[in-house]
Amino acid sequence: MEAATLLGLLGVCGFEDIKIKKIRLVVINIFAIVGVIYHLIYERLSWLDMLGGMSIGLILLLIGYLSKEKIGYGDGLLFMATGIYLGFWNNLILLWLSTTAAGIYGLILMAFKKKKKESEIPLVPFILGVYVVSLIFNGGTL
């Protein structure tokens, strides 16, 4: 149930990130509320684990603010929501792997003159891809 919900969140947000280059707050809020309710019922993560996971997103929001949104606010809010499901360490690993994959993709595009250094790349499809690979190979554990 948890993996399906997280896949739904990342799928919807990934589609929006590619098509309209924005992530709707209402979508993130719905999935975040569902995540909190899920953990209240099944107690898979403690409140401390959920808050730790959400702190990754808060740090991204701060970096986005300080960098004049080089990292989008939607990405920070999304990582707050994924932190509810994954906790601190798995959310940190998700961030690291997805930004690494996006960086490699960006370098490839720059090498073939498809994008410039200043070009934006949607991050959420890479988050989704990393999570799907983790489901296939580790059952969702990053």
Side-chain angles (χ1 to χ4, degrees):
M1 173 73 175
E2 180 179 357
T5 305
L6 200 46
L7 280 172
L9 168 65
L10 295 174
V12 169
C13 290
F15 179 79
E16 289 180 342
D17 202 12
I18 290 169
K19 289 294 184 189
I20 61 174
K21 297 184 182 354
K22 293 195 183 296
I23 303 169
R24 290 182 296 152
L25 182 59
V26 68
V27 173
I28 295 172
N29 285 340
I30 289 169
F31 281 97
I33 291 167
V34 168
V36 169
I37 292 169
Y38 173 82
H39 288 299
L40 286 174
I41 295 170
Y42 295 105
E43 298 180 6
R44 195 187 75 71
L45 290 178
S46 70
W47 280 101
L48 189 57
D49 289 333
M50 284 192 288
L51 290 174
M54 291 174 65
S55 70
I56 302 294
L58 284 173
I59 292 168
L60 287 176
L61 286 172
L62 179 62
I63 293 170
Y65 175 77
L66 294 174
S67 69
K68 296 180 178 44
E69 231 180 321
K70 295 284 183 188
I71 297 175
Y73 294 137
D75 296 326
L77 293 170
L78 181 67
F79 272 100
M80 285 183 71
T82 59
I84 292 170
Y85 291 89
L86 300 173
F88 179 79
W89 291 109
N90 282 329
N91 207 30
L92 185 61
I93 293 167
L94 180 65
L95 172 64
W96 176 65
L97 292 174
S98 57
T99 54
T100 299
I104 291 168
Y105 177 71
L107 287 173
I108 291 169
L109 290 177
M110 285 176 20
F112 288 101
K113 310 276 191 229
K114 300 288 183 185
K115 294 272 185 183
K116 295 182 180 186
K117 181 180 173 184
E118 301 81 24
S119 299
E120 294 179 4
I121 297 173
L123 180 60
V124 185
F126 294 97
I127 302 169
L128 175 61
V130 166
Y131 187 67
V132 167
V133 169
S134 79
L135 283 174
I136 293 168
F137 291 105
N138 290 332
T141 303
L142 295 163

